[in-house]
Amino acid sequence: MTDTTAPLSTAAAAPAPEDPYLWLEEVDGARAMAWVRERNALSEAELTARPEYAPTRARLLSILEAKDRIPGVVRRGDWFYNLWQDEQHRRGLWRRTSLAEYRRAEPAWQVLLDLDALARAENENWVWGGASLLGPDYRRGLVSLSRGGADATVVREFDVDTLQFADGGFALPEAKSDVEWIDADTVYVSTDFGPGSLTESGYPRTIRRWRRGTPLAQAQTVFEGAVTDVGVGVGVDRTPGYERTVFSRMLDFYRQEIWLAEGPAATAADPKKMDVPEDAMVDFLRDTLLLELRSPLDLGGRTFPAGSLLVADADAWLRGEQAARPLFTPTATRSLAGYTATRDHLLLQVMDNVASRVEAWHREGGTGEFVGRTVEAPFPGQLGVTGLHDPLLADDPLAEHYLLSYTDFTTPGSLYLATTADDRRTLLKAGPARFDAEGMRAEQCFATSADGTRVPYFVLWPRGAQADGRNPTLLYGYGGFEQPLTPWYAASYGSAWCAQGGVFVVANLRGGGEFGPDWHQAALRENKQRSYDDLIAIAEDLIARKITRPAHLGIQGGSNGGLLVGAVMVQRPDLFNAVVCQVPLLDMRRYHTLLAGASWMAEYGDPDDPADWAFLSQYSPYHRVRAGVRYPRVLFTTSTRDDRVHPGHARKMAARMLEQGHDLLYYENTEGGHGGAADNAQRAHLLALEFAYLWQQLGPASAGGTAG
């Protein structure tokens, strides 16, 4: 889910008078925090006493802080940058190395910024929020620092040569800010400029040009959206000969207006609105315009289906000559998962029945037509592709190189250096096994949902497991915002669950992006129930196949997935004996008044519209939970510093269920933001609590438990 510009103390809209737990929406309120501390103490006392907790926490912390992890890198000029956390550096080291060093088993890294040392010196709980470096020399960076992992950040200019924050450099106070370099002395900035500067969703409403040495308040407004928009954005393309600035108004989560200013950003004329579909994703590759469609598009007597990727001559399109060619066209089982560019190629990531393939496309010299081929790569599993070309370098030695990664449920990640010239590649890094996968197996199955739709899911079987109905089984789902769940190397689930005898199941629900826009749009707004029906169908299928039974079946999901498992728990409590509901939305009457909630109305609907509330009210967990019904003993987890999905959702749901007489567990980390944890120690603790709970509820002794 997208982030939010609203501070944690943002007041909610006028409350519904029948809600007795509004005081739990006061994020840092004394009464609310006393309630949180009481619930935390009860849950931690119980779960840390479980025999699984201590060894699981130690095992997961060793995985999270292992020295032989593959360090993820981002290329800028001659350097590869990384943020590294381990037991000595809980908050992390921002560092860099060369490609030659990165190839080595133990690269030599130059440390640019030690976040732990900075936090101690400034008496702050800083969490890394990223950095934007100005090319082509990449000396100056805009570093974002978050207090406790919240989305709101402080921005400071950093000098990479002196390893110091720039004296008198650009600096922004804590807010949900976006900053984009124009040149060494000028930036575009969108932030909280005070009353009237934010949208109803809590995002910045204006983009301003800010010159070095001038007060932020005097920054000139160059673009703005309406208060009813989700927010505004800006991107600067500095590719020599193709300089342009793209502004956007997010009308809702899936629709936007695109405005283009051609020429170098420092001298570009006023932006002009582009004639492109509002729900298309728009990009440029030098002289080529790319359109990724979310709905069908009619051009020149031809209809291109949703999910297509079109290419067009950018100048011709801007002149009004709207002709395009399809680079990718979806099928019933194939969808576009994304793309990246080298200097002369587009590398498409294609999902084929929820497994990854890569296609390489380039322009044929004589005709100018795009031609493509499938890259030979491991299959099935998850492939990641990152182009390395730096268009700001006149003679880039890595212009046609890219990074290719591969993983699946039982195969640790591998990272290769590849080139578009052929399918040969060099292994750069290979992650070691984090659990013993000998004898484990993964399979793809299909369940039939309530309306007859076949819904895929993956099953990761532990060694020696049989379909006898007695397997502790954890079913994980998300089903929203066009986000797919693809196979990944599940180190934590593999070591703490599967290696201990549990079955792990990943659901590919409608509402996600596994089969493109149509799969997502099938479960929007009034059709959101289809996501829940899909999860229920998979649960029933697991039971019918005798993989498990209700006493040993649990569900887990976070954010939109927390809403998913909350709704399904309330609708079908008979199917489960455990529910891990993480950083969830649960009050669908007030979600749009809390933090970034208004930005998600294109996904869920507007509760203030009676027609929309008619269907929202049918599944809103906070309004559907009842006394006298036997629910699984749920575990709610959230974070005080989550300024994206308000912690009040989980707090209020837990309070209402306790009032109704239901037994439950609740844990709220006071740091961590929407991810739930600010460092590896917190992550290991939270995960160990969750796995201890799952074994308590779903292990062999749970056969006489509360469900099934």
Side-chain angles (χ1 to χ4, degrees):
M1 284 185 171
T2 183
D3 60 4
T4 169
T5 57
L8 289 175
S9 59
T10 294
E18 69 274 9
D19 189 341
Y21 295 112
L22 289 175
W23 57 275
L24 285 170
E25 293 180 5
E26 299 172 13
V27 175
D28 296 312
R31 183 184 178 194
M33 290 309 298
W35 182 90
V36 167
R37 287 190 291 271
E38 178 185 6
R39 300 313 310 176
N40 280 0
L42 292 170
S43 298
E44 287 187 291
E46 176 179 330
L47 295 178
T48 59
R50 291 282 305 174
E52 302 90 357
Y53 171 79
T56 298
R57 183 187 181 279
R59 185 164 52 246
L60 295 180
L61 186 58
S62 69
I63 291 172
L64 291 168
E65 296 185 335
K67 294 291 195 295
D68 54 1
R69 284 173 288 147
I70 298 177
V73 290
V74 175
R75 185 204 181 193
R76 295 292 181 267
D78 295 332
W79 297 94
F80 288 74
Y81 292 79
N82 164 261
L83 191 282
W84 183 261
Q85 294 175 310
D86 58 28
E87 67 273 17
Q88 280 86 39
H89 310 97
R90 298 291 187 189
R91 300 301 165 130
L93 298 174
W94 184 38
R95 60 187 192 170
R96 69 181 184 178
T97 192
S98 66
L99 177 58
E101 279 292 328
Y102 189 71
R103 291 173 181 268
R104 298 165 62 92
E106 296 185 9
W109 294 90
Q110 179 191 13
V111 175
L112 305 177
L113 184 62
D114 183 331
L115 266 71
D116 296 86
L118 180 68
R120 288 191 298 269
E122 299 184 347
N123 193 29
E124 292 277 9
N125 57 340
W126 291 131
V127 174
W128 181 249
S132 173
L133 294 167
L134 176 63
D137 61 1
Y138 299 105
R139 174 183 173 181
R140 295 280 179 157
L142 296 168
V143 168
S144 297
L145 301 169
S146 161
R147 289 185 172 97
D151 286 339
T153 60
V154 170
V155 179
R156 298 180 187 171
E157 186 176 353
F158 188 83
D159 190 317
V160 175
D161 287 351
T162 65
L163 304 184
Q164 299 290 329
F165 287 105
D167 186 22
F170 291 110
L172 292 173
E174 185 177 40
K176 289 304 164 40
S177 304
D178 287 315
V179 189
E180 182 82 7
W181 289 103
I182 296 174
D183 56 36
D185 294 312
T186 323
V187 296
Y188 287 123
V189 58
S190 56
T191 190
D192 186 348
F193 286 96
S197 68
L198 302 180
T199 68
E200 292 175 350
S201 298
Y203 288 89
R205 192 176 61 80
T206 63
I207 295 171
R208 309 191 187 192
R209 183 184 286 111
W210 184 22
R211 290 195 59 79
R212 183 183 301 281
T214 63
L216 176 62
Q218 295 180 10
Q220 176 191 4
T221 298
V222 295
F223 188 79
E224 61 183 304
V227 69
T228 53
D229 293 346
V230 170
V232 292
V234 60
V236 177
D237 187 348
R238 300 180 190 85
T239 303
Y242 301 96
E243 294 90 348
R244 53 175 67 96
T245 302
V246 177
F247 298 91
S248 61
R249 283 183 58 199
M250 286 189 64
L251 306 177
D252 60 32
F253 203 86
Y254 303 109
R255 297 184 306 117
Q256 60 184 344
E257 288 182 355
I258 301 296
W259 295 69
L260 179 66
E262 296 190 88
T267 59
D270 291 338
K272 296 181 173 59
K273 184 180 176 183
M274 289 186 64
D275 185 8
V276 291
E278 288 183 346
D279 62 350
M281 290 169 278
V282 179
D283 199 1
F284 289 92
L285 179 61
R286 295 198 302 277
D287 59 352
T288 300
L289 172 69
L290 298 105
L291 297 174
E292 188 174 351
L293 304 182
R294 281 199 176 100
S295 59
L297 176 65
D298 293 327
L299 279 180
R302 179 176 178 182
T303 300
F304 299 100
S308 298
L309 178 65
L310 308 184
V311 292
D313 180 278
D315 288 341
W317 187 282
L318 295 173
R319 292 194 303 267
E321 301 168 15
Q322 296 188 345
R325 302 181 300 280
L327 207 62
F328 175 84
T329 303
T331 69
T333 59
R334 285 169 55 89
S335 62
L336 183 65
Y339 58 86
T340 190
T342 65
R343 183 186 58 205
D344 299 322
H345 284 74
L346 276 171
L347 299 169
L348 310 188
Q349 294 175 251
V350 177
M351 274 194 295
D352 186 350
N353 267 322
V354 205
S356 297
R357 299 189 187 275
V358 175
E359 296 179 358
W361 290 79
H362 72 283
R363 269 187 174 156
E364 198 75 275
T367 64
E369 292 294 323
F370 278 89
V371 295
R373 65 181 182 85
T374 299
V375 175
E376 287 297 324
F379 184 86
Q382 181 182 134
L383 293 166
V385 184
T386 304
L388 294 179
H389 176 45
D390 187 336
L392 302 186
L393 301 183
D395 188 15
D396 182 9
L398 298 178
E400 286 303 311
H401 286 74
Y402 61 96
L403 297 176
L404 179 74
S405 63
Y406 177 79
T407 187
D408 59 39
F409 287 116
T410 59
T411 304
S414 297
L415 183 67
Y416 301 87
L417 180 64
T419 175
T420 58
D422 51 47
D423 290 336
R424 291 177 295 178
R425 58 186 69 97
T426 302
L427 180 65
L428 292 175
K429 306 286 179 186
R434 303 299 181 190
F435 58 91
D436 183 3
E438 183 70 29
M440 292 186 186
R441 70 185 191 279
E443 67 173 319
Q444 187 179 48
C445 302
F446 290 83
T448 302
S449 195
D451 62 358
T453 301
R454 293 180 77 239
V455 182
Y457 64 93
F458 292 102
V459 180
L460 180 57
W461 291 84
R463 180 188 307 109
Q466 299 179 5
D468 58 9
R470 296 184 297 176
N471 297 297
T473 301
L474 177 59
L475 170 56
Y476 183 86
Y478 185 76
F481 293 90
E482 206 173 341
Q483 296 300 309
L485 293 182
T486 57
W488 79 98
Y489 186 66
S492 58
Y493 293 98
S495 61
W497 189 249
C498 298
Q500 313 306 315
V503 173
F504 182 51
V505 180
V506 177
N508 300 124
L509 313 173
R510 282 176 291 179
E514 287 84 353
F515 297 106
D518 288 347
W519 192 251
H520 167 235
Q521 293 164 15
L524 277 180
R525 291 176 44 84
E526 64 270 20
N527 294 318
K528 198 67 183 172
Q529 179 62 40
R530 290 173 178 168
S531 294
Y532 314 143
D533 290 343
D534 290 355
L535 193 74
I536 290 168
I538 292 172
E540 292 176 333
D541 201 53
L542 292 169
I543 295 166
R545 293 174 185 264
K546 299 189 182 300
I547 294 174
T548 192
R549 57 191 174 101
H552 299 297
L553 178 58
I555 49 176
Q556 180 182 25
S559 194
N560 174 78
L563 170 60
L564 166 76
V565 299
V568 169
M569 173 190 73
V570 170
Q571 293 179 19
R572 290 297 304 274
D574 57 302
L575 289 176
F576 313 104
N577 203 29
V579 180
V580 181
C581 188
Q582 303 162 302
V583 290
L585 285 88
L586 294 167
D587 180 354
M588 299 308 289
R589 181 66 186 87
R590 286 179 48 75
Y591 85 90
H592 64 316
T593 70
L594 301 173
L595 300 175
S599 67
W600 309 323
M601 288 196 289
E603 180 83 10
Y604 301 121
D606 180 358
D608 292 335
D609 183 332
D612 287 8
W613 177 241
F615 57 77
L616 284 162
S617 64
Q618 294 303 303
Y619 70 77
S620 177
Y622 186 59
H623 298 90
R624 304 300 295 181
V625 68
R626 297 286 184 267
V629 177
R630 189 173 68 172
Y631 297 109
R633 191 187 189 210
V634 61
L635 169 62
F636 295 106
T637 69
T638 190
S639 165
T640 310
R641 293 295 294 170
D642 188 348
D643 52 358
R644 194 180 312 177
V645 176
H646 200 293
H649 284 278
R651 293 176 179 180
K652 294 198 306 178
M653 184 73 171
R656 174 160 286 180
M657 291 186 71
L658 288 168
E659 177 197 10
Q660 292 174 348
H662 304 297
D663 190 17
L664 59 85
L665 293 167
Y666 181 94
Y667 177 72
E668 179 174 320
N669 189 17
T670 56
E671 293 187 334
H674 194 52
D679 58 39
N680 288 329
Q682 293 180 15
R683 291 184 190 96
H685 175 60
L686 176 59
L687 287 167
L689 292 177
E690 291 170 349
F691 284 116
Y693 159 80
L694 287 166
W695 282 115
Q696 174 178 273
Q697 295 298 114
L698 305 180
S702 69
T706 60

